[in-house]
Amino acid sequence: MSKTYTNKNFDKTSLDWSLIQSDLKIKLGTDVYESWIKKIGLFEEFNNYILLAVPTRFIRDWITSRYLDQILQTIKKHKKEIIRIEFKIIENKNNNFSSSIEQNKVSDVKNISFITDSYLQYNRIDPNKRFENFLIGSSNKIAFEASLKVSENISYYNPLYVYGGVGLGKTHLLNSIGHEMNKNKKVMFISAERFMYQFVKSIKSNDMVKFKEYFRNTDVLLIDDIQFMNGKEAMQEEFFHTFNALLEKGSQIIVSADRPPNKLIRIQERIKSRFSGGLVVDIQKPEYDLRKKILDHKIDELMSLHSGKLDISEEIKDFISTKITTNVRELVGAINRIVSFSRIYNKLPSLAETKVILKDLLNLNENTVTIDAIQTIVCKFFKISKNEMLSSRRSRYLVRPRQTAIYLTKLLTTKSLPEIGREFSNRDHTTIIHSVKTIEQLKEKNSDMKDNINKLKNIILYNRENEI
Ligand code: ADP
Ligand code: MG
């Protein structure tokens, strides 16, 4: 089997996936575990990111929109270098997911066995990210036009350096250039992380000659997230020479980063100055019109994938485009959640439900929801005093409100179970788990309970009572 798939030779701390899954089971509960987490497999592990396998696109979207942060946090506990998760969709043909994953790895390797080195595997141009589906507004117009020009005229601007914050479309643009130029040129599209990994691997296996040849042979070199290339003098040296050799022979170079060249750290001055010597363009945060346009477009795109139609009201669209302002990735994430919600519950979310689904994306500062506020609101709602809520009395009229407050605290804050326990008169964390479970179950069976929870959520999060 190719080395790429048995990466143990460079990674000594291989993750134990079953251990991570059992951690997640505790963290997210058995229901979530059984419905979603169990379906995830570990496909491949890299230095600082991992590739997970899931059986369907829908499961991927659901997990991404709901649990990605918690999964990443848990993985980080086992291996702190992991900073990113990617998903691969592998159909689960024979109901045995891990054997499907194995088979998939084997067939992948078979498919590329005629390639003598493995660089091509890293040349992953995503056919879904093209110029045609890159929407343009005043915030990204210059970057878009420069990229388009570059893809039409070799060496018009060389190098082209595109920078901007996370999730603003840099990778999409680089990918579009790659996609376009790949039609008649030799294109190499690689992230700086991969470049480093490949470099180190080539040194270890005495393959430097091949490495150099490979990179110096390309007509177009796209390097994504150059800010991750830092340190390692020898590698920067190699990069610099490759860079110069390519420019000399008239190859096109395109680089992306999260900051302008002069703000890059631990990258040689001469490399930065070569970057600055080409065309430097930035992408700004999307303006309202662009956000709205992206929203409409992505909803259509997603729904056509699921071959359905979703008439999200103007009110909700407007709400999302007004509130989610930081980047396009979050906007896309928000749409994914709305679409997942509608598919699961078979109805469109109301505005109030939208607020709940998107809570963490809406810049509602987590700190504004305090345990104290939750307790106060719940006490008022059930007409009991705070002393009663915090007492150890077990009268029925006190137990439900107490459990409800505990449930809402778990749901709406990031406090840990022991922390919540402390705030509820030093109750044990098992009591907290029990309360959360009880309310979750009641909510399913009892529509009054569900209404009350929704009303309370609305008051706590938005200070409004009459919605839902
Ligand atoms: P970055 O590399 O800057 O972090 P990405 O290129 O990965 O951001 O973009 C994040 C997501 O947003 C991707 O799904 C991408 O397709 C989408 N996206 C970003 N900008 C646009 C745009 N102008 N039009 C359509 N989709 C966009
Ligand atoms: Mg990117």
Side-chain angles (χ1 to χ4, degrees):
M1 205 186 260
S2 148
K3 265 185 200 156
T4 327
Y5 288 95
T6 53
N7 42 30
K8 294 189 180 64
N9 44 353
F10 73 92
D11 195 338
K12 293 180 191 66
T13 53
S14 257
L15 287 165
D16 181 344
W17 186 242
S18 58
L19 218 60
I20 293 175
Q21 282 197 313
S22 52
D23 276 6
L24 285 167
K25 189 172 180 178
I26 297 168
K27 193 164 180 171
L28 301 171
T30 314
D31 288 349
V32 172
Y33 173 80
E34 288 294 328
S35 316
W36 308 104
I37 307 298
K38 208 168 90 178
K39 304 197 167 101
I40 313 174
L42 175 62
F43 188 80
E44 202 177 352
E45 180 185 343
F46 298 92
N47 276 343
N48 42 20
Y49 78 97
I50 63 169
L51 189 57
L52 299 179
V54 284
T56 66
R57 194 186 283 271
F58 179 63
I59 293 179
R60 178 199 64 189
D61 292 347
W62 187 256
I63 291 169
T64 310
S65 64
R66 297 271 161 142
Y67 309 116
L68 202 58
D69 293 346
Q70 282 124 312
I71 296 174
L72 185 61
Q73 269 173 22
T74 308
I75 292 172
K76 270 174 166 304
K77 278 191 196 142
H78 294 261
K79 186 176 172 188
K80 64 176 186 323
E81 291 83 8
I82 300 288
I83 52 170
R84 197 173 77 219
I85 296 176
E86 284 183 12
F87 286 97
K88 186 178 173 72
I89 293 159
I90 296 178
E91 260 182 78
N92 186 359
K93 292 194 187 91
N94 43 10
N95 247 342
N96 180 342
F97 197 41
S98 49
S99 94
S100 293
I101 291 180
E102 281 313 311
Q103 275 170 12
N104 208 286
K105 286 185 191 178
V106 173
S107 62
D108 264 9
V109 173
K110 272 197 203 128
N111 288 343
I112 50 114
S113 57
F114 62 95
I115 299 169
T116 47
D117 55 48
S118 58
Y119 302 130
L120 278 187
Q121 287 175 60
Y122 294 106
N123 209 0
R124 289 196 191 129
I125 295 178
D126 180 347
N128 296 317
K129 293 187 173 145
R130 302 181 311 274
F131 285 124
E132 299 91 78
N133 63 2
F134 187 85
L135 301 163
I136 309 156
S138 55
S139 50
N140 60 15
K141 194 162 189 285
I142 295 173
F144 172 82
E145 279 173 358
S147 305
L148 196 61
K149 282 237 167 68
V150 156
S151 74
E152 286 164 354
N153 315 288
I154 275 267
S155 299
Y156 198 83
Y157 305 118
N158 211 0
L160 171 67
Y161 185 101
V162 182
Y163 77 92
V166 64
L168 295 182
K170 303 181 296 294
T171 303
H172 191 133
L173 271 184
L174 259 59
N175 202 93
S176 310
I177 300 175
H179 185 73
E180 205 48 46
M181 299 190 91
N182 208 16
K183 292 175 184 163
N184 45 22
K185 297 264 176 337
K186 239 164 130 183
V187 175
M188 180 76 210
F189 179 26
I190 194 166
S191 69
E193 267 171 307
R194 289 273 196 177
F195 183 87
M196 291 195 296
Y197 161 65
Q198 204 63 58
F199 178 84
V200 173
K201 203 173 138 204
S202 308
I203 291 185
K204 281 191 183 157
S205 56
N206 262 331
D207 268 348
M208 269 321 276
V209 177
K210 239 197 242 165
F211 178 89
K212 286 186 191 182
E213 259 174 26
Y214 193 88
F215 281 93
R216 292 186 187 184
N217 256 330
T218 119
D219 301 323
V220 182
L221 176 64
L222 296 130
I223 302 200
D224 204 7
D225 287 324
I226 198 84
Q227 75 274 7
F228 289 132
M229 194 180 81
N230 50 35
K232 297 272 173 7
E233 218 32 47
M235 200 194 56
Q236 295 210 19
E237 209 57 34
E238 176 52 35
F239 178 71
F240 186 69
H241 290 307
T242 305
F243 194 80
N244 286 335
L246 284 174
L247 287 180
E248 247 160 56
K249 81 176 184 88
S251 299
Q252 176 69 50
I253 297 177
I254 303 109
V255 175
S256 87
D258 65 351
R259 62 198 84 179
N262 60 349
K263 293 268 166 55
L264 291 168
I265 43 172
R266 291 194 295 273
I267 288 190
Q268 291 179 354
E269 283 305 321
R270 55 183 185 162
I271 297 182
K272 292 191 212 174
S273 96
R274 288 235 70 161
F275 288 157
S276 311
L279 179 67
V280 178
V281 290
D282 70 336
I283 308 185
Q284 302 278 338
K285 283 184 184 170
E287 68 282 7
Y288 176 84
D289 286 349
L290 179 58
R291 301 200 296 269
K292 191 78 193 308
K293 206 155 124 184
I294 290 173
L295 196 72
D296 284 332
H297 184 88
K298 290 282 168 186
I299 292 171
D300 287 349
E301 199 178 85
L302 261 179
M303 288 322 291
S304 68
L305 272 179
H306 300 306
S307 56
K309 187 150 172 48
L310 202 60
D311 286 319
I312 296 178
S313 69
E314 283 304 312
E315 188 191 19
I316 289 187
K317 283 190 203 166
D318 194 63
F319 174 78
I320 298 175
S321 351
T322 311
K323 297 289 181 179
I324 298 183
T325 58
T326 43
N327 70 52
V328 182
R329 184 171 298 148
E330 289 197 345
L331 203 56
V332 175
I335 300 160
N336 270 326
R337 291 190 198 180
I338 303 279
V339 172
S340 299
F341 178 98
S342 347
R343 283 169 56 83
I344 287 195
Y345 296 104
N346 232 336
K347 64 161 193 158
L348 284 166
S350 65
L351 183 60
E353 281 165 332
T354 303
K355 289 174 182 172
V356 174
I357 304 171
L358 305 181
K359 182 192 152 254
D360 55 311
L361 294 177
L362 292 176
N363 289 339
L364 293 169
N365 193 346
E366 194 68 61
N367 300 329
T368 59
V369 178
T370 61
I371 298 192
D372 190 54
I374 295 176
Q375 290 172 342
T376 309
I377 291 168
V378 174
C379 284
K380 194 168 157 220
F381 188 86
F382 289 107
K383 301 190 175 57
I384 61 172
S385 75
K386 214 155 174 180
N387 278 342
E388 284 176 309
M389 169 171 284
L390 298 178
S391 71
S392 52
R393 286 170 52 202
R394 287 165 175 264
S395 322
R396 199 178 162 77
Y397 83 101
L398 295 179
V399 170
R400 284 287 176 263
R402 189 180 293 137
Q403 288 174 332
T404 305
I406 290 174
Y407 166 82
L408 288 167
T409 306
K410 182 79 193 86
L411 190 72
L412 303 176
T413 73
T414 50
K415 297 275 185 267
S416 67
L417 296 171
E419 277 170 322
I420 299 175
R422 273 197 293 282
E423 300 287 333
F424 283 83
S425 315
N426 275 329
R427 283 181 162 75
D428 189 75
H429 78 276
T430 53
T431 313
I432 305 300
I433 295 177
H434 175 74
S435 306
V436 173
K437 288 221 167 109
T438 308
I439 300 295
E440 264 171 0
Q441 281 160 7
L442 282 173
K443 206 166 71 113
E444 291 309 310
K445 288 185 218 133
N446 179 332
S447 63
D448 282 352
M449 188 68 178
K450 196 168 170 181
D451 281 355
N452 284 345
I453 295 281
N454 280 335
K455 277 186 196 143
L456 280 164
K457 260 197 239 170
N458 235 2
I459 305 172
I460 293 165
L461 291 174
Y462 313 104
N463 221 356
R464 286 157 93 155
E465 288 182 49
N466 329 332
E467 284 174 37
I468 284 192

